[in-house]
Amino acid sequence: METGLSGKIALVTGSSKGIGLAIAKGLAAEGVRLVMAARGEARLREEATKLQAVAIPADLSRAEEIESLLRETTVRVGWPDIVIVNAGGPSPGAALAPDDSAWEAAAQLTLMSAIRLARACIPAMRERKWGRIVNVTSTSVLVPIPNLVLSNALRPAVTAFSKTLGAEVAADGITVNNVAPGATDTERLRELYPDPGALETVIAKIPAGRLASPAEVAAAVVFLCSVPAAMITGQTLVVDGGSTGRA
Ligand SMILES: NC(=O)c1ccc[n+]([C@@H]2O[C@H](COP(=O)([O-])OP(=O)(O)OC[C@H]3O[C@@H](n4cnc5c(N)ncnc54)[C@H](OP(=O)(O)O)[C@@H]3O)[C@@H](O)[C@H]2O)c1
């Protein structure tokens, strides 16, 4: 399939490793001009150099850093045609474990980053009558994951936000979608399940019999960004090897 993305500008956040880096690589392979963001500067610059991308360090949980990220992006490259909203996930915990400040921090990282990036980028997309926003969420939007209450509660809010926004901007040639990965082989997953036995238990529950690769999640994101995907908006594309379909 021709994606039609050559020459477009994309901002990919959380892209120094894992799923975000795979998305950056997937878009770069389509000829997209990239801006990559994450907090840790050294790794971000190293990966960005390999993809001839512009690296801009930023913490997505801070409003002022999102503002400066956009300012620098527009000065150095231009307004993004494509925005991929991705970062580390909220920390684990049982339903009543997080205190107010943990809920606040998770909301800033997971929900407010999606809202702030969209708010900043939609006006320029509207002017150009073209845009793609893809949020990386989680299968927690369909089935709560034990001991991950912050993700279970906040990811559905991102989903509802993007459905609402997607309908509002559809007539301007802009789509807003989510990709919901299941267990994907990244550093985050291995941090969540440091005990190999626990990871084997996770894998045993995946009908496909293995973890997804970051590149497989990225392929879904690149598809949603493509020109032929213009009529798909407000949707969640699940990449989980059948996990959420299992009774
Ligand atoms: N892996 C899975 O199995 C899985 C499953 C479902 C959903 N997800 C979700 O998919 C997303 C990506 O996961 P992943 O496994 O690829 O994670 P990862 O390997 O830990 O990578 C996370 C990326 O985001 C950056 N990041 C983290 N916090 C940030 C912040 N506050 N501001 C800006 N950048 C930040 C990290 O760099 P710095 O630390 O340097 O900032 C890194 O580049 C997460 O939201 C995760 O919850 C993952």
Side-chain angles (χ1 to χ4, degrees):
M1 188 188 82
E2 280 286 323
T3 61
L5 294 179
S6 184
K8 300 279 190 204
I9 297 172
L11 169 61
V12 185
T13 66
S15 51
S16 62
K17 59 185 173 182
I19 293 168
L21 176 59
I23 294 168
K25 287 179 181 170
L27 290 171
E30 296 302 318
V32 170
R33 295 163 63 201
L34 281 177
V35 176
M36 294 166 63
R39 293 165 307 173
E41 205 169 330
R43 189 159 176 176
L44 177 69
R45 291 201 189 286
E46 188 186 325
E47 296 298 344
T49 303
K50 290 182 207 160
L51 297 177
Q52 294 175 317
V54 169
I56 305 178
D59 182 344
L60 267 280
S61 65
R62 300 174 69 88
E64 64 279 13
E65 296 203 18
I66 291 183
E67 271 173 37
S68 56
L69 170 63
L70 261 299
R71 229 180 1 254
E72 209 177 321
T73 298
T74 54
V75 169
R76 292 176 64 183
V77 188
W79 278 103
D81 304 291
I82 297 166
V83 177
I84 310 300
V85 184
N86 173 70
S91 46
L96 301 180
D99 61 13
D100 284 7
S101 67
W103 277 102
E104 177 61 29
Q108 292 293 327
L109 175 67
T110 299
L111 175 59
M112 292 312 299
S113 61
I115 294 170
R116 288 176 178 136
L117 281 166
R119 201 158 49 198
C121 296
I122 287 281
M125 290 176 176
R126 274 190 149 138
E127 270 175 31
R128 289 197 304 271
K129 298 279 173 219
W130 201 92
R132 298 283 186 267
I133 296 179
V134 181
N135 303 296
V136 177
T137 61
S138 165
T139 53
S140 67
V141 301
L142 297 177
V143 182
I145 300 170
N147 207 42
L148 266 185
V149 69
L150 294 170
S151 175
N152 297 340
L154 292 165
R155 303 283 196 197
V158 175
T159 309
F161 167 71
S162 45
K163 261 188 185 297
T164 310
L165 178 63
E168 289 175 9
V169 299
D172 294 313
I174 303 166
T175 69
V176 188
N177 290 293
N178 310 293
V179 165
T184 306
D185 196 357
T186 68
E187 285 180 26
R188 170 173 163 80
L189 187 79
R190 290 181 184 276
E191 281 160 19
L192 280 174
Y193 300 99
D195 168 14
L199 194 52
E200 286 309 315
T201 309
V202 170
I203 293 169
K205 290 185 186 150
I206 303 171
R210 63 174 179 84
L211 300 172
S213 71
E216 287 168 323
V217 179
V221 174
V222 172
F223 165 66
L224 288 171
C225 292
S226 70
V227 170
M231 284 296 278
I232 303 172
T233 194
Q235 302 303 309
T236 292
L237 186 45
V238 178
V239 184
D240 71 348
S243 299
T244 49
R246 175 174 262 176

